[in-house]
Amino acid sequence: MPPDTLSDSPESDVTSAMTFKDTELTLGIPGEPTRSPAGKFCTKRGFIETVDLNLGTSTSKPRGKAHADEVDDKSDDAVSGACKSTASKTQVVGWPPVRSYRKKALESCKYVKVAVDGAPYLRKVDLETYNSYQELLMALEKMFTCFKIRGNYLGESKVVDPMKEMEYVPTYEDKDGDWMLVGDVPWKMFIESCKRIRLMKSSEAVGLAPRTPPRCTTTT
Amino acid sequence: MSKDDDRSPPLDLRGADIAESSSKTRNCVTGSGHVTGMNPMEFQAPYPDQVLENVLENVLQFLTSRRDRNAASLVCKSWCRVEALTRSELFIGNCYSVSPKRATARFSRVRAVAIKGRPRFADFNLMPPEWGAHFKPWVAALGSAYPWLEKVYLKRMSVTDEDLKHLAEYFPSFKELVLVCCDGFGTRGLAVIAKKCRQLRVLDLIESEVADSDMDWIGEFPESGITCLESLIFDCVESPINFEALERLVVRSPSLKKLRLNRFVSIGQLYRLMVRAPQLTHLGTGSFSLAEGVAHGDQEPDYESAFAACKSLVCLSGFREIATDYLSAIYAVCANLTSLNLSYANINAEQLKTVIFHCHKLQTFWVLDTICDEGLQAAAATCKDLRELRVFPIDAREDSEGPVSEVGLQAISEGCRKLQSILYFCQHMTNAAVIAMSNNCPDLEVFRLCIMGRHRPDHLTGQPMDEGFGAIVKNCKKLTRLAVSGLLTDQAFSYIGRYGKLVRTLSVAFAGNSDRGLKYVLEGCPRLQKLEIRDSPFGDEALRSGLHHYYNMRFLWMSSCSLSPQGCREIARALPRLVVEVIKDEAEVNRGECEEHIDDAFDILYMYRSLEGPRDDAPHFVQEHSKQKQGIGLSNIVLLIIYPSMKRWRFGLEELEVQNGEFTKFSSMPPVEKQELAFTREKKKNLVCLF
């Protein structure tokens, strides 16, 4: 059973302790079987939830020495003992207590605007719905090669000239306001930091684009 | 005061039918098993009680509070009867506490029904999805008992499309359907409701999961004529709707006051609806951003004037994918708003300030923590009338940033003295701020603080959060609901038990040190009705300490605590009218990850009082430890069967054992002559006589 996320390392700085691996979100059950000495403290995996969250280290020492006499020593040991066995991958179902409906709704705040040089219209994509650069780029390609607005929303349909993939370079603006090349950082980090996407004409993307053209699959 | 039925009838001959009904009550099975029939030659005239009952009926009709009604029904049988006749709103707090049959048998003139199902912790994936709380058995019973039914309110129930279809079919006068946190149905079911319920005034879907059956349910509303629609809330429906049909519907619904759109409605579409419905009082704005493929242009409608035209608007929500550029459109209505829900809007402090600055009358405010402490300070400075505040986390994880803290809480406590209810998610908190709130906001009835990091102490002093919560229960004399978090020792629970005399609902997670903690609460809080505990070190001994109280509670939930199966069985044995469910995490068992897994170890204890005994729709992973089975309530029944013969009585003794509603043992003694039968004390208790 997965244990508490109480860490043994006291007052560790959260950001320095985390590596990329730690920040990686994965789907699936935690792989490491853990002992549960008391059995009862430890948190349980849920019935639906399978996302494995790394909950990292807490910034303050959970059980301060000041109140050691109040705390049941036995339970303290059990908890810290359980913690020792799993350093990073832990998971608590249903905590914090936010309904999945709300969580899902707020997740879709990952909408970013996509602009294409030369096109007067913007599109929005929900980065959360993709799992990799490949998927995102394929979707963008689809979006801009046959660009039709769905009839039941506006009652009009517009078509934009299909773009030639070779000529455009996907770039994005990150949290700090810098323009980066899409694909530079790991996917998860990209989702966290991407504010908006711009498909730049490769002639303009001199400072960013590599010599080799970006991946392209189909044309018109 | 009228007594029971055995009084002599009066001379008043008015109402022979009353006599009829009173005589019916005489045909009851008394303790000795006599079934007395009525000799048709006997005349039953109405007796004084009947006159009183008529008066009572007229008086009790005015009693609306269900607590008052419950009290009135306990006075005597006559009052119980009359109260049952005059109760028009039936509230079932736990769908398994009473069967549909029993409820409809007692209350014959109900027009509105409210039923609650799953326990609240099920919302957080702590309960398997197929656990139960099905509306199906209810809809069937309601259908036959109350063909005039007008309103149905369901919370945390599983409702199928079929159930909705039956609702529409059984109840021609059906007016209001409110589904809160429900699931199991989809747009197909909604379509039937829209189509068939011609008297529909209210269709409110609140935080429910609605499957997308690809049906244009909005289009199923009658296409012509004025509708009586007053409220249409569907912001939780996660599928696109037929906007043209909605627009036409709004035009045909002059009584429409509440309209909450889902996120598939763009701001442009919102505009079109608003200009057609300026009478709205409650508006959910949908996505509040441009439709896909549309860019910011010059041709945009005048959103500001559309809002300004809604002079009666008092409640604003939605903003599901907010384009913050448009936020200024709502300034015109802010001054009138009493309720503002921005809890899906990712806005910062600056953006909030522009809005909140105008909201002097605000009483209810739901918001995301992205506004930071600064945003809360702004709210505190302006919203002097605030009664309810909810601050939700944009990033609901234990180690996320935590943009709000004790600073925001302190500011709110200082600015909003009339606060009655607060739900506050944060990463860091101090006892000082919580104590300040306890002093500044004496009207607090609901205090729910969620420090997202488990076992996290006061981040300035390193102390447990005991003193903060202690101050809340001590100083807030009206407190009825409390949710605790952070590092808490048994001391915190000692405070709750000592001072929390009005607390009805308590939520505990990752708290306490020992059984003492739970004992304090169970022994100290006489009004406690709903107790939900997870991942806290409370064991069997603590559980035992609540035996005196469990019948007065709606439910107790304990998951991942230190209980044992024996402990639960003990409770079940001691309290036959309690249903004791233990639920296992089967997934874990199957994966074989728990090496030390004892066979009947479990994860969740969920127990509740019930008149029906263990439910018959319990899925396989639920084990019932209840003693009471199938209404008889006894596992050993001794039947005294009297065989009348010409000259003498013969007695027969049958011994039956009932388990799970089935007879499992049957032994009989040969018929004996009339003689003293020496029953054991045990058998006498179980004696049931039948002829």
Side-chain angles (χ1 to χ4, degrees), chain B residues 61 63-67 69-70 83-92 107 109-114 146 149-151 176:
Chain B
Q61 265 169 19
L63 216 58
T64 45
S65 147
R66 66 170 187 268
R67 257 180 225 131
R69 285 191 155 271
N70 292 347
E83 190 284 311
L85 286 174
T86 55
R87 191 181 292 224
S88 61
E89 287 176 20
L90 183 60
F91 174 81
I92 311 281
F107 301 102
R109 298 189 192 162
V110 166
R111 274 187 278 118
V113 172
Y146 314 132
L149 194 70
E150 292 177 0
K151 305 186 197 181
E176 294 187 19

PDB file of all heavy atoms in Angstrom, chain B residues 61 63-67 69-70 83-92 107 109-114 146 149-151 176:
ATOM      1  N   GLN B  61     -51.087  21.817   8.488  1.00  0.00           N
ATOM      2  CA  GLN B  61     -50.735  22.157   7.116  1.00  0.00           C
ATOM      3  C   GLN B  61     -49.782  23.338   7.045  1.00  0.00           C
ATOM      4  O   GLN B  61     -49.027  23.481   6.101  1.00  0.00           O
ATOM      5  CB  GLN B  61     -52.008  22.501   6.329  1.00  0.00           C
ATOM      6  CG  GLN B  61     -52.520  21.298   5.591  1.00  0.00           C
ATOM      7  CD  GLN B  61     -53.888  21.514   5.029  1.00  0.00           C
ATOM      8  OE1 GLN B  61     -54.318  22.641   4.879  1.00  0.00           O
ATOM      9  NE2 GLN B  61     -54.568  20.428   4.703  1.00  0.00           N
ATOM     10  N   LEU B  63     -47.398  23.896   9.068  1.00  0.00           N
ATOM     11  CA  LEU B  63     -46.074  23.575   9.600  1.00  0.00           C
ATOM     12  C   LEU B  63     -45.179  23.185   8.437  1.00  0.00           C
ATOM     13  O   LEU B  63     -45.447  22.232   7.722  1.00  0.00           O
ATOM     14  CB  LEU B  63     -46.217  22.389  10.567  1.00  0.00           C
ATOM     15  CG  LEU B  63     -45.339  22.364  11.808  1.00  0.00           C
ATOM     16  CD1 LEU B  63     -45.557  23.594  12.650  1.00  0.00           C
ATOM     17  CD2 LEU B  63     -45.642  21.116  12.598  1.00  0.00           C
ATOM     18  N   THR B  64     -44.116  23.941   8.235  1.00  0.00           N
ATOM     19  CA  THR B  64     -43.279  23.645   7.080  1.00  0.00           C
ATOM     20  C   THR B  64     -41.960  22.989   7.465  1.00  0.00           C
ATOM     21  O   THR B  64     -41.470  22.127   6.764  1.00  0.00           O
ATOM     22  CB  THR B  64     -42.970  24.933   6.303  1.00  0.00           C
ATOM     23  OG1 THR B  64     -42.612  25.945   7.226  1.00  0.00           O
ATOM     24  CG2 THR B  64     -44.161  25.352   5.478  1.00  0.00           C
ATOM     25  N   SER B  65     -41.388  23.401   8.570  1.00  0.00           N
ATOM     26  CA  SER B  65     -40.086  22.857   8.940  1.00  0.00           C
ATOM     27  C   SER B  65     -40.211  21.365   9.231  1.00  0.00           C
ATOM     28  O   SER B  65     -41.068  20.935  10.000  1.00  0.00           O
ATOM     29  CB  SER B  65     -39.574  23.574  10.190  1.00  0.00           C
ATOM     30  OG  SER B  65     -38.825  22.698  10.984  1.00  0.00           O
ATOM     31  N   ARG B  66     -39.336  20.588   8.614  1.00  0.00           N
ATOM     32  CA  ARG B  66     -39.508  19.154   8.799  1.00  0.00           C
ATOM     33  C   ARG B  66     -39.112  18.711  10.200  1.00  0.00           C
ATOM     34  O   ARG B  66     -39.604  17.697  10.688  1.00  0.00           O
ATOM     35  CB  ARG B  66     -38.765  18.355   7.738  1.00  0.00           C
ATOM     36  CG  ARG B  66     -37.288  18.451   7.770  1.00  0.00           C
ATOM     37  CD  ARG B  66     -36.689  17.428   6.832  1.00  0.00           C
ATOM     38  NE  ARG B  66     -35.243  17.398   6.983  1.00  0.00           N
ATOM     39  CZ  ARG B  66     -34.411  18.134   6.259  1.00  0.00           C
ATOM     40  NH1 ARG B  66     -34.878  18.928   5.327  1.00  0.00           N
ATOM     41  NH2 ARG B  66     -33.109  18.075   6.469  1.00  0.00           N
ATOM     42  N   ARG B  67     -38.270  19.498  10.826  1.00  0.00           N
ATOM     43  CA  ARG B  67     -37.936  19.143  12.205  1.00  0.00           C
ATOM     44  C   ARG B  67     -39.143  19.318  13.112  1.00  0.00           C
ATOM     45  O   ARG B  67     -39.405  18.487  13.991  1.00  0.00           O
ATOM     46  CB  ARG B  67     -36.794  20.020  12.708  1.00  0.00           C
ATOM     47  CG  ARG B  67     -35.524  19.244  12.698  1.00  0.00           C
ATOM     48  CD  ARG B  67     -34.331  19.992  13.165  1.00  0.00           C
ATOM     49  NE  ARG B  67     -33.244  19.701  12.230  1.00  0.00           N
ATOM     50  CZ  ARG B  67     -32.478  20.599  11.671  1.00  0.00           C
ATOM     51  NH1 ARG B  67     -32.642  21.862  11.947  1.00  0.00           N
ATOM     52  NH2 ARG B  67     -31.540  20.250  10.835  1.00  0.00           N
ATOM     53  N   ARG B  69     -42.165  19.129  12.138  1.00  0.00           N
ATOM     54  CA  ARG B  69     -43.122  18.076  11.776  1.00  0.00           C
ATOM     55  C   ARG B  69     -42.737  16.753  12.429  1.00  0.00           C
ATOM     56  O   ARG B  69     -43.591  16.008  12.900  1.00  0.00           O
ATOM     57  CB  ARG B  69     -43.166  17.906  10.254  1.00  0.00           C
ATOM     58  CG  ARG B  69     -43.925  19.027   9.587  1.00  0.00           C
ATOM     59  CD  ARG B  69     -44.208  18.740   8.134  1.00  0.00           C
ATOM     60  NE  ARG B  69     -45.381  19.494   7.744  1.00  0.00           N
ATOM     61  CZ  ARG B  69     -46.630  19.064   7.849  1.00  0.00           C
ATOM     62  NH1 ARG B  69     -46.873  17.837   8.296  1.00  0.00           N
ATOM     63  NH2 ARG B  69     -47.636  19.834   7.508  1.00  0.00           N
ATOM     64  N   ASN B  70     -41.454  16.454  12.421  1.00  0.00           N
ATOM     65  CA  ASN B  70     -41.011  15.221  13.059  1.00  0.00           C
ATOM     66  C   ASN B  70     -41.373  15.234  14.534  1.00  0.00           C
ATOM     67  O   ASN B  70     -41.822  14.228  15.091  1.00  0.00           O
ATOM     68  CB  ASN B  70     -39.505  15.040  12.887  1.00  0.00           C
ATOM     69  CG  ASN B  70     -39.116  14.768  11.442  1.00  0.00           C
ATOM     70  OD1 ASN B  70     -39.974  14.478  10.606  1.00  0.00           O
ATOM     71  ND2 ASN B  70     -37.841  14.870  11.143  1.00  0.00           N
ATOM     72  N   GLU B  83     -50.140  14.327  10.886  1.00  0.00           N
ATOM     73  CA  GLU B  83     -48.940  14.942  10.334  1.00  0.00           C
ATOM     74  C   GLU B  83     -48.581  14.278   9.014  1.00  0.00           C
ATOM     75  O   GLU B  83     -48.201  14.928   8.052  1.00  0.00           O
ATOM     76  CB  GLU B  83     -47.801  14.815  11.350  1.00  0.00           C
ATOM     77  CG  GLU B  83     -46.554  15.623  10.995  1.00  0.00           C
ATOM     78  CD  GLU B  83     -45.735  15.004   9.892  1.00  0.00           C
ATOM     79  OE1 GLU B  83     -45.445  13.797   9.968  1.00  0.00           O
ATOM     80  OE2 GLU B  83     -45.379  15.735   8.929  1.00  0.00           O
ATOM     81  N   ALA B  84     -48.721  12.957   8.995  1.00  0.00           N
ATOM     82  CA  ALA B  84     -48.394  12.228   7.770  1.00  0.00           C
ATOM     83  C   ALA B  84     -49.304  12.644   6.618  1.00  0.00           C
ATOM     84  O   ALA B  84     -48.885  12.692   5.469  1.00  0.00           O
ATOM     85  CB  ALA B  84     -48.506  10.732   8.015  1.00  0.00           C
ATOM     86  N   LEU B  85     -50.560  12.947   6.960  1.00  0.00           N
ATOM     87  CA  LEU B  85     -51.493  13.345   5.914  1.00  0.00           C
ATOM     88  C   LEU B  85     -51.190  14.738   5.381  1.00  0.00           C
ATOM     89  O   LEU B  85     -51.517  15.059   4.241  1.00  0.00           O
ATOM     90  CB  LEU B  85     -52.920  13.338   6.465  1.00  0.00           C
ATOM     91  CG  LEU B  85     -53.551  11.970   6.694  1.00  0.00           C
ATOM     92  CD1 LEU B  85     -54.903  12.133   7.381  1.00  0.00           C
ATOM     93  CD2 LEU B  85     -53.723  11.223   5.389  1.00  0.00           C
ATOM     94  N   THR B  86     -50.619  15.557   6.245  1.00  0.00           N
ATOM     95  CA  THR B  86     -50.413  16.940   5.828  1.00  0.00           C
ATOM     96  C   THR B  86     -48.988  17.235   5.365  1.00  0.00           C
ATOM     97  O   THR B  86     -48.673  18.359   4.991  1.00  0.00           O
ATOM     98  CB  THR B  86     -50.745  17.911   6.983  1.00  0.00           C
ATOM     99  OG1 THR B  86     -49.978  17.542   8.131  1.00  0.00           O
ATOM    100  CG2 THR B  86     -52.222  17.852   7.319  1.00  0.00           C
ATOM    101  N   ARG B  87     -48.137  16.233   5.375  1.00  0.00           N
ATOM    102  CA  ARG B  87     -46.775  16.493   4.918  1.00  0.00           C
ATOM    103  C   ARG B  87     -46.730  16.441   3.405  1.00  0.00           C
ATOM    104  O   ARG B  87     -47.018  15.412   2.803  1.00  0.00           O
ATOM    105  CB  ARG B  87     -45.794  15.469   5.501  1.00  0.00           C
ATOM    106  CG  ARG B  87     -44.330  15.870   5.271  1.00  0.00           C
ATOM    107  CD  ARG B  87     -43.358  14.855   5.811  1.00  0.00           C
ATOM    108  NE  ARG B  87     -43.361  14.777   7.268  1.00  0.00           N
ATOM    109  CZ  ARG B  87     -42.251  14.701   8.020  1.00  0.00           C
ATOM    110  NH1 ARG B  87     -41.077  14.761   7.439  1.00  0.00           N
ATOM    111  NH2 ARG B  87     -42.347  14.582   9.328  1.00  0.00           N
ATOM    112  N   SER B  88     -46.361  17.535   2.798  1.00  0.00           N
ATOM    113  CA  SER B  88     -46.335  17.558   1.333  1.00  0.00           C
ATOM    114  C   SER B  88     -44.920  17.486   0.783  1.00  0.00           C
ATOM    115  O   SER B  88     -44.714  17.219  -0.397  1.00  0.00           O
ATOM    116  CB  SER B  88     -47.023  18.820   0.813  1.00  0.00           C
ATOM    117  OG  SER B  88     -46.336  19.960   1.289  1.00  0.00           O
ATOM    118  N   GLU B  89     -43.914  17.720   1.643  1.00  0.00           N
ATOM    119  CA  GLU B  89     -42.530  17.617   1.180  1.00  0.00           C
ATOM    120  C   GLU B  89     -41.828  16.521   1.952  1.00  0.00           C
ATOM    121  O   GLU B  89     -41.691  16.598   3.168  1.00  0.00           O
ATOM    122  CB  GLU B  89     -41.799  18.938   1.409  1.00  0.00           C
ATOM    123  CG  GLU B  89     -42.246  20.011   0.456  1.00  0.00           C
ATOM    124  CD  GLU B  89     -41.606  21.346   0.735  1.00  0.00           C
ATOM    125  OE1 GLU B  89     -40.556  21.394   1.404  1.00  0.00           O
ATOM    126  OE2 GLU B  89     -42.179  22.356   0.298  1.00  0.00           O
ATOM    127  N   LEU B  90     -41.402  15.539   1.233  1.00  0.00           N
ATOM    128  CA  LEU B  90     -40.758  14.388   1.857  1.00  0.00           C
ATOM    129  C   LEU B  90     -39.263  14.481   1.667  1.00  0.00           C
ATOM    130  O   LEU B  90     -38.783  14.595   0.543  1.00  0.00           O
ATOM    131  CB  LEU B  90     -41.286  13.108   1.203  1.00  0.00           C
ATOM    132  CG  LEU B  90     -40.784  11.778   1.759  1.00  0.00           C
ATOM    133  CD1 LEU B  90     -41.146  11.642   3.215  1.00  0.00           C
ATOM    134  CD2 LEU B  90     -41.371  10.628   0.959  1.00  0.00           C
ATOM    135  N   PHE B  91     -38.546  14.441   2.768  1.00  0.00           N
ATOM    136  CA  PHE B  91     -37.091  14.522   2.700  1.00  0.00           C
ATOM    137  C   PHE B  91     -36.482  13.225   3.227  1.00  0.00           C
ATOM    138  O   PHE B  91     -36.702  12.840   4.361  1.00  0.00           O
ATOM    139  CB  PHE B  91     -36.578  15.708   3.538  1.00  0.00           C
ATOM    140  CG  PHE B  91     -35.088  15.765   3.628  1.00  0.00           C
ATOM    141  CD1 PHE B  91     -34.334  16.305   2.601  1.00  0.00           C
ATOM    142  CD2 PHE B  91     -34.420  15.255   4.739  1.00  0.00           C
ATOM    143  CE1 PHE B  91     -32.944  16.346   2.677  1.00  0.00           C
ATOM    144  CE2 PHE B  91     -33.039  15.290   4.820  1.00  0.00           C
ATOM    145  CZ  PHE B  91     -32.296  15.841   3.794  1.00  0.00           C
ATOM    146  N   ILE B  92     -35.720  12.562   2.374  1.00  0.00           N
ATOM    147  CA  ILE B  92     -35.044  11.327   2.778  1.00  0.00           C
ATOM    148  C   ILE B  92     -33.548  11.605   2.766  1.00  0.00           C
ATOM    149  O   ILE B  92     -32.929  11.697   1.707  1.00  0.00           O
ATOM    150  CB  ILE B  92     -35.358  10.180   1.783  1.00  0.00           C
ATOM    151  CG1 ILE B  92     -36.850  10.065   1.510  1.00  0.00           C
ATOM    152  CG2 ILE B  92     -34.771   8.865   2.283  1.00  0.00           C
ATOM    153  CD1 ILE B  92     -37.645   9.378   2.562  1.00  0.00           C
ATOM    154  N   PHE B 107     -46.667   8.435   4.207  1.00  0.00           N
ATOM    155  CA  PHE B 107     -47.041   9.773   3.749  1.00  0.00           C
ATOM    156  C   PHE B 107     -47.799   9.649   2.434  1.00  0.00           C
ATOM    157  O   PHE B 107     -47.231   9.246   1.428  1.00  0.00           O
ATOM    158  CB  PHE B 107     -45.797  10.633   3.551  1.00  0.00           C
ATOM    159  CG  PHE B 107     -44.978  10.787   4.800  1.00  0.00           C
ATOM    160  CD1 PHE B 107     -43.823  10.063   4.992  1.00  0.00           C
ATOM    161  CD2 PHE B 107     -45.401  11.654   5.804  1.00  0.00           C
ATOM    162  CE1 PHE B 107     -43.074  10.197   6.153  1.00  0.00           C
ATOM    163  CE2 PHE B 107     -44.664  11.804   6.964  1.00  0.00           C
ATOM    164  CZ  PHE B 107     -43.498  11.066   7.137  1.00  0.00           C
ATOM    165  N   ARG B 109     -49.757  12.098   0.868  1.00  0.00           N
ATOM    166  CA  ARG B 109     -50.115  13.262   0.053  1.00  0.00           C
ATOM    167  C   ARG B 109     -48.906  14.117  -0.290  1.00  0.00           C
ATOM    168  O   ARG B 109     -48.953  15.332  -0.204  1.00  0.00           O
ATOM    169  CB  ARG B 109     -51.132  14.118   0.812  1.00  0.00           C
ATOM    170  CG  ARG B 109     -52.413  13.378   1.095  1.00  0.00           C
ATOM    171  CD  ARG B 109     -53.431  14.331   1.632  1.00  0.00           C
ATOM    172  NE  ARG B 109     -54.577  13.645   2.179  1.00  0.00           N
ATOM    173  CZ  ARG B 109     -55.443  14.206   3.005  1.00  0.00           C
ATOM    174  NH1 ARG B 109     -55.254  15.457   3.391  1.00  0.00           N
ATOM    175  NH2 ARG B 109     -56.472  13.522   3.454  1.00  0.00           N
ATOM    176  N   VAL B 110     -47.861  13.449  -0.692  1.00  0.00           N
ATOM    177  CA  VAL B 110     -46.618  14.179  -0.928  1.00  0.00           C
ATOM    178  C   VAL B 110     -46.579  14.769  -2.327  1.00  0.00           C
ATOM    179  O   VAL B 110     -46.933  14.105  -3.305  1.00  0.00           O
ATOM    180  CB  VAL B 110     -45.426  13.212  -0.713  1.00  0.00           C
ATOM    181  CG1 VAL B 110     -44.151  13.790  -1.257  1.00  0.00           C
ATOM    182  CG2 VAL B 110     -45.281  12.891   0.770  1.00  0.00           C
ATOM    183  N   ARG B 111     -46.114  16.002  -2.421  1.00  0.00           N
ATOM    184  CA  ARG B 111     -46.008  16.632  -3.732  1.00  0.00           C
ATOM    185  C   ARG B 111     -44.561  16.884  -4.160  1.00  0.00           C
ATOM    186  O   ARG B 111     -44.275  17.122  -5.328  1.00  0.00           O
ATOM    187  CB  ARG B 111     -46.764  17.959  -3.742  1.00  0.00           C
ATOM    188  CG  ARG B 111     -48.242  17.789  -4.074  1.00  0.00           C
ATOM    189  CD  ARG B 111     -48.946  19.112  -4.246  1.00  0.00           C
ATOM    190  NE  ARG B 111     -49.326  19.704  -2.970  1.00  0.00           N
ATOM    191  CZ  ARG B 111     -48.872  20.871  -2.523  1.00  0.00           C
ATOM    192  NH1 ARG B 111     -48.043  21.579  -3.241  1.00  0.00           N
ATOM    193  NH2 ARG B 111     -49.251  21.325  -1.353  1.00  0.00           N
ATOM    194  N   ALA B 112     -43.668  16.858  -3.163  1.00  0.00           N
ATOM    195  CA  ALA B 112     -42.264  17.120  -3.475  1.00  0.00           C
ATOM    196  C   ALA B 112     -41.399  16.142  -2.698  1.00  0.00           C
ATOM    197  O   ALA B 112     -41.621  15.911  -1.517  1.00  0.00           O
ATOM    198  CB  ALA B 112     -41.897  18.545  -3.084  1.00  0.00           C
ATOM    199  N   VAL B 113     -40.422  15.573  -3.373  1.00  0.00           N
ATOM    200  CA  VAL B 113     -39.562  14.575  -2.748  1.00  0.00           C
ATOM    201  C   VAL B 113     -38.102  14.979  -2.893  1.00  0.00           C
ATOM    202  O   VAL B 113     -37.680  15.393  -3.982  1.00  0.00           O
ATOM    203  CB  VAL B 113     -39.765  13.196  -3.405  1.00  0.00           C
ATOM    204  CG1 VAL B 113     -38.736  12.211  -2.898  1.00  0.00           C
ATOM    205  CG2 VAL B 113     -41.154  12.682  -3.137  1.00  0.00           C
ATOM    206  N   ALA B 114     -37.347  14.858  -1.810  1.00  0.00           N
ATOM    207  CA  ALA B 114     -35.904  15.089  -1.858  1.00  0.00           C
ATOM    208  C   ALA B 114     -35.213  13.850  -1.312  1.00  0.00           C
ATOM    209  O   ALA B 114     -35.563  13.375  -0.235  1.00  0.00           O
ATOM    210  CB  ALA B 114     -35.528  16.311  -1.020  1.00  0.00           C
ATOM    211  N   TYR B 146     -47.792   8.680  -5.723  1.00  0.00           N
ATOM    212  CA  TYR B 146     -48.035  10.124  -5.867  1.00  0.00           C
ATOM    213  C   TYR B 146     -48.147  10.533  -7.328  1.00  0.00           C
ATOM    214  O   TYR B 146     -47.246  11.195  -7.865  1.00  0.00           O
ATOM    215  CB  TYR B 146     -46.893  10.931  -5.227  1.00  0.00           C
ATOM    216  CG  TYR B 146     -46.459  10.484  -3.844  1.00  0.00           C
ATOM    217  CD1 TYR B 146     -45.105  10.305  -3.544  1.00  0.00           C
ATOM    218  CD2 TYR B 146     -47.383  10.263  -2.819  1.00  0.00           C
ATOM    219  CE1 TYR B 146     -44.681   9.928  -2.283  1.00  0.00           C
ATOM    220  CE2 TYR B 146     -46.969   9.867  -1.552  1.00  0.00           C
ATOM    221  CZ  TYR B 146     -45.626   9.697  -1.299  1.00  0.00           C
ATOM    222  OH  TYR B 146     -45.213   9.303  -0.054  1.00  0.00           O
ATOM    223  N   LEU B 149     -47.258  14.118  -8.220  1.00  0.00           N
ATOM    224  CA  LEU B 149     -45.943  14.614  -7.801  1.00  0.00           C
ATOM    225  C   LEU B 149     -45.454  15.746  -8.693  1.00  0.00           C
ATOM    226  O   LEU B 149     -45.558  15.688  -9.919  1.00  0.00           O
ATOM    227  CB  LEU B 149     -44.925  13.477  -7.822  1.00  0.00           C
ATOM    228  CG  LEU B 149     -43.597  13.754  -7.109  1.00  0.00           C
ATOM    229  CD1 LEU B 149     -43.792  13.828  -5.613  1.00  0.00           C
ATOM    230  CD2 LEU B 149     -42.582  12.679  -7.457  1.00  0.00           C
ATOM    231  N   GLU B 150     -44.914  16.774  -8.056  1.00  0.00           N
ATOM    232  CA  GLU B 150     -44.471  17.943  -8.812  1.00  0.00           C
ATOM    233  C   GLU B 150     -42.968  18.159  -8.800  1.00  0.00           C
ATOM    234  O   GLU B 150     -42.406  18.705  -9.745  1.00  0.00           O
ATOM    235  CB  GLU B 150     -45.144  19.202  -8.235  1.00  0.00           C
ATOM    236  CG  GLU B 150     -46.629  19.239  -8.467  1.00  0.00           C
ATOM    237  CD  GLU B 150     -47.284  20.443  -7.827  1.00  0.00           C
ATOM    238  OE1 GLU B 150     -46.570  21.258  -7.191  1.00  0.00           O
ATOM    239  OE2 GLU B 150     -48.504  20.575  -7.966  1.00  0.00           O
ATOM    240  N   LYS B 151     -42.335  17.811  -7.702  1.00  0.00           N
ATOM    241  CA  LYS B 151     -40.918  18.157  -7.594  1.00  0.00           C
ATOM    242  C   LYS B 151     -40.078  16.975  -7.136  1.00  0.00           C
ATOM    243  O   LYS B 151     -40.452  16.244  -6.219  1.00  0.00           O
ATOM    244  CB  LYS B 151     -40.726  19.258  -6.555  1.00  0.00           C
ATOM    245  CG  LYS B 151     -41.532  20.494  -6.767  1.00  0.00           C
ATOM    246  CD  LYS B 151     -41.134  21.546  -5.739  1.00  0.00           C
ATOM    247  CE  LYS B 151     -42.194  22.630  -5.662  1.00  0.00           C
ATOM    248  NZ  LYS B 151     -41.843  23.670  -4.700  1.00  0.00           N
ATOM    249  N   GLU B 176     -40.631  20.346 -11.331  1.00  0.00           N
ATOM    250  CA  GLU B 176     -39.248  20.694 -11.000  1.00  0.00           C
ATOM    251  C   GLU B 176     -38.369  19.473 -10.859  1.00  0.00           C
ATOM    252  O   GLU B 176     -38.668  18.569 -10.079  1.00  0.00           O
ATOM    253  CB  GLU B 176     -39.196  21.453  -9.661  1.00  0.00           C
ATOM    254  CG  GLU B 176     -39.859  22.798  -9.691  1.00  0.00           C
ATOM    255  CD  GLU B 176     -39.644  23.593  -8.411  1.00  0.00           C
ATOM    256  OE1 GLU B 176     -38.709  23.286  -7.649  1.00  0.00           O
ATOM    257  OE2 GLU B 176     -40.438  24.521  -8.193  1.00  0.00           O
TER     258      GLU B 176
END
